[in-house]
Amino acid sequence: MTTFDAGSLRSAAALIAEGRLVAMPTETVYGLAADATNDTAVARIFEAKGRPQFNPLIVHVADAAMARRFVEWPPLAEKLASRFWPGPLTLVLKRRADCAVSLLASAGLDTLGVRAPAHPVAQALIREAGRPLAAPSANPSGAISPTTAAHVRESLGDKVDMILDGGPCPVGLESTIVKIDGDGAVLLRPGGVARAQIESVAGRKLGAPSQASAPQAPGMLASHYAPQTPLRLNARAPCDGEAYLGFGDAGSAGPLALNLSASASLQEAAANLFAYLRTLDKLCARRGLRAIAVAPIPSAGLGEAINDRLNRAAAPRGHSIRH
Ligand code: TXA
Ligand code: MG
């Protein structure tokens, strides 16, 4: 169900213009949006999320023309944007000298992450507000990203000025983040566009980020996207006292189990992942279960991003800040 209409869009754009926070649906996950050119507004995002200041924010633009106002635009950026925008790909590029986006959004780096989202509500809000929108996923730092308006209400409800409800997010995983540096391209975070697709358009392999330059993306922090309940990965079946998150044939019957995709579709699994983790997390708390066992997920295509999120959700806590 969507409560989105022209009136709420106008109110949301007015709030953005006043420097307030609006949660907006994108095709990946819900974002916590604010005017990217307003320092106070961007600072409010960090405060609402409880996010360490060194983690930069993605700036959402309507299209490549809008992105070019803020970042340098080498041929590889044009190539990738013309194939994957609007869509779940974030490009990290050098800020232009005259870049009007708050330096806070770059967290002290000389680069900016930009993305043109494909969701009609996000597109409409950017255009109605007439400015770029800084928006991290609309969850408290380190927690599971929201894929419905209800998820946002549950975890950040009192900290946002308005939530635009666009229904469940069709992709369900955050964008793929690629840093472009001259001719080179580095995969900072696997996400909604599979690596192989990007490599085929880029005509080159994506490099791996260097440890020295961490944290380039907090999605890269060891513990992230974490439910309260511990996860046990690559489990063919649940043990006693465990809930089960299945995939394909590795399923389990009963009230303590969900299947990410009975037909073994990675796309369907990605769309269900965060919502199912939340549901099982709550179930475990209610029933006093000790863990969520998770079926093995193939690593091809979107499986790379799904496994990335599961590994971080399973990582020991207390390692959530690398330095
Ligand atoms: O799909 C998505 O990307 C969602 C929707 C709302 O667009 N947004 C999202 O934002 O996942 P967030 O803040 O939760 O994750 C953005 C990641 C962070 O890990 C951040 O470090 C990285 O992008 N990032 C942003 N700007 C960067 C930059 N200049 N250099 C390196 N990493 C950057
Ligand atoms: Mg996030």
Side-chain angles (χ1 to χ4, degrees), residues 76-77 79-81 83-85 87-91 174-180 183-207 301-302 304-305:
L76 184 54
K79 216 176 192 179
L80 293 177
R83 169 64 181 80
F84 296 110
W85 280 9
L89 174 68
T90 295
L91 298 175
E174 299 87 346
S175 61
T176 303
I177 305 181
V178 172
K179 180 173 180 180
I180 298 178
D183 257 5
V186 168
L187 181 66
L188 294 184
R189 178 179 74 182
V193 183
R195 172 201 290 272
Q197 271 185 287
I198 299 172
E199 290 181 339
S200 105
V201 172
R204 77 204 73 197
K205 292 274 177 212
L206 294 174
L302 284 182
E304 183 178 8

Side-chain angles (χ1 to χ4, degrees), residues 29 49 51 136-143 145-146 174 189 218-219 224-225:
V29 300
K49 272 189 71 95
R51 162 173 280 199
S137 52
N139 52 278
S141 194
S145 296
E174 299 87 346
R189 178 179 74 182
H224 206 74
Y225 313 102

Side-chain angles (χ1 to χ4, degrees), residues 106-126:
S106 292
L109 303 172
D110 60 355
T111 54
L112 193 64
V114 287
R115 165 167 118 79
H119 198 290
V121 176
Q123 275 288 333
L125 183 60
I126 295 165

Side-chain angles (χ1 to χ4, degrees), residues 22-39:
V22 174
M24 66 170 178
T26 82
E27 74 280 26
T28 59
V29 300
Y30 276 71
L32 182 60
D35 179 356
T37 63
N38 177 333
D39 290 326

